[in-house]
């Protein structure tokens, strides 16, 4: 059976084609919920998905009716996406996600209905007494389900998904998501690099390689004097130390990554214990920074990295896993 999966974020949408559980191909469009926020309607998302679907099927000489199941996850299920699907409350596994799938047809995209996977939110009190433990996610829940299945690690586990908004997802021995924690790591790195007095020192560009010495120095600085002082130290190091770009950018990345590590270790949403393995998705510089800092500063933590080849298409894999739990696929 041919399967299509749709993964929509803030700025991009990826439509993938599968034969059974085998990935075949994908089309990406630079449209996301950001467009809905600016335009006031989701027309661009609909058109982007329709175009990507048409191109994919055309390459394989398939008709829309040849696709047996269409699955969608991510911000597409928010009020700025195609259809708003309420978050479900953790703890939840693939079966729980399957029980809350939402079906709706968009004829501009396909005559087949689309099955929307809900996002997940942490369990909350009726007031704000546990505000630090509050968090939500859309899209990362299916990635987490796929990582749990792929890693097959016993017991509790922490999954790190670096990005504009880095997500930390806690799972238990039963394969359930028990909570999540979000930071603005990627966005913060972008703002500091492009839109502050440090832009000149950093040449308004990110690091293209890590310097572990200065990555570690940045992490130690953030731990000792905090983020804002560490950020300005980038300019001090550039002015007085005449450091190279990759050294300065690594220092900045180290400061941000160490603060993220502190976030997941202390978050009430995750209840992380150092005996739990940490799985980091992808091969981005932020992922590399996490691995390097955990190895150097927190050697008691068992850290694993899923390289790009192993981590690719996790959203689609997770959607298929949920569809199988729902009985939509064999």
């Amino acid at each position: 059976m041919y399967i299509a999966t749709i993964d929509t974020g803030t700025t991009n949408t990826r439509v993938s084609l599968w034969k059974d559980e085998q990935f075949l191909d994908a089309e990406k469009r630079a449209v996301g919920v950001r467009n809905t926020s600016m335009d006031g309607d989701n027309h661009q998302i609909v058109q982007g998905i329709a175009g990507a679907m048409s191109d994919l099927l055309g390459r394989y000489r398939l008709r829309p009716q040849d696709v047996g199941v269409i699955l969608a996850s991510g911000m597409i299920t928010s009020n700025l996406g195609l259809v708003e699907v309420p978050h479900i409350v953790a703890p939840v596994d693939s079966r729980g996600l399957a029980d809350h799938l939402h079906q709706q047809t968009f004829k501009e995209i396909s005559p087949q209905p689309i099955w929307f996977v809900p996002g997940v939110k942490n369990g909350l009190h009726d007031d704000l007494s546990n505000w630090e433990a509050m968090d939500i996610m859309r899209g990362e829940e299916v990635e987490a389900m796929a990582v749990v299945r792929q890693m097959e690690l016993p017991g509790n586990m922490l999954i790190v998904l670096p990005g504009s908004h880095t997500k930390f997802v806690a799972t238990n021995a039963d394969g359930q998501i028990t909570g999540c924690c979000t930071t603005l790591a990627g966005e913060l790195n972008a703002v500091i690099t492009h839109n502050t007095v440090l832009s000149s020192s950093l040449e308004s560009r990110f690091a293209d390689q890590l310097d572990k010495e200065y990555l570690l120095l940045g992490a130690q600085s953030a731990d000792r004097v905090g983020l804002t002082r560490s950020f300005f130290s980038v300019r001090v190091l550039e002015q007085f130390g005449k450091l190279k770009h990759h050294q300065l950018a690594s220092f900045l990345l180290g400061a941000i990554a160490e603060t993220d590590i502190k976030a997941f270790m202390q978050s009430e949403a995750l209840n992380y214990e150092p005996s739990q393995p940490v799985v980091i998705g992808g091969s981005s510089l932020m992922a590399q920074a996490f691995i390097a800092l955990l190895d150097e500063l927190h050697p008691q933590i068992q850290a694993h990295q899923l390289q790009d080849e192993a981590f690719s298409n996790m959203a689609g894999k997770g959607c298929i896993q949920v569809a199988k739990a729902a009985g939509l696929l064999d």
Side-chain angles (χ1 to χ4, degrees), residues 53-223:
M53 188 80 73
S54 177
D55 287 351
L56 268 179
L57 298 184
R59 281 207 292 275
Y60 289 82
R61 299 185 178 181
L62 297 174
R63 302 165 299 168
Q65 56 267 38
D66 292 328
V67 178
V69 177
I70 304 175
L71 305 159
S73 65
M75 293 300 291
I76 198 170
T77 64
S78 73
N79 64 322
L80 296 174
L82 290 192
V83 56
E84 185 172 9
V85 182
H87 292 90
I88 57 177
V89 180
V92 63
D93 58 10
S94 294
R95 176 72 258 178
L97 292 171
D99 288 342
H100 292 83
L101 286 171
H102 176 85
Q103 182 187 33
Q104 193 161 325
T105 301
F106 292 83
K107 293 183 179 179
E108 304 96 321
I109 295 173
S110 173
Q112 308 280 54
I114 299 173
W115 292 88
F116 294 87
V117 181
V120 173
K121 64 181 179 180
N122 297 346
L124 308 175
H125 294 166
D126 292 334
D127 53 32
L128 292 177
S129 60
N130 68 335
W131 62 268
E132 198 286 315
M134 296 177 179
D135 217 309
I136 53 177
M137 59 182 166
R138 291 190 186 272
E140 293 88 0
E141 69 288 330
V142 287
E143 291 182 311
M145 290 292 91
V147 170
V148 168
R149 181 183 180 189
Q150 181 157 324
M151 293 301 296
E152 296 183 336
L153 293 173
N156 296 349
M157 176 172 64
L158 182 75
I159 300 168
V160 182
L161 303 171
S164 296
H165 297 167
T166 293
K167 290 283 184 182
F168 301 95
V169 184
T171 62
N172 63 20
D174 296 323
Q176 296 175 310
I177 293 171
T178 58
C180 67
C181 172
T182 311
T183 75
L184 294 177
E187 279 198 317
L188 182 58
N189 190 27
V191 168
I192 296 299
T193 300
H194 298 300
N195 301 106
T196 68
V197 70
L198 301 181
S199 299
S200 175
S201 301
L202 295 166
E203 302 173 12
S204 292
R205 60 188 179 95
F206 301 126
D208 51 13
Q209 60 177 304
L210 277 186
D211 186 296
K212 290 189 178 180
E213 177 186 355
Y214 283 94
L215 178 79
L216 180 61
L217 191 63
Q220 292 169 332
S221 175
D223 185 57

Side-chain angles (χ1 to χ4, degrees), residues 33-50:
V33 296
R34 176 175 176 269
N35 297 92
T36 302
S37 180
M38 293 188 300
D39 299 344
D41 61 57
N42 60 19
H43 179 74
Q44 288 200 56
I45 297 178
V46 171
Q47 293 302 308
I49 294 172

Side-chain angles (χ1 to χ4, degrees), residues 261 264 278 280 289-299 301 303:
I261 290 171
F264 84 67
V278 173
I280 299 164
F290 276 122
I291 286 288
L293 293 180
L294 288 174
D295 286 346
E296 185 69 32
L297 300 179
H298 308 278
I301 294 177

Side-chain angles (χ1 to χ4, degrees), residues 222-240:
D223 185 57
R224 186 171 63 253
V225 299
L227 272 182
T228 56
R229 171 58 183 165
S230 298
F231 287 163
F232 192 76
S233 294
V234 172
R235 180 161 176 80
V236 172
L237 289 169
E238 184 258 333
Q239 291 286 306
F240 293 95

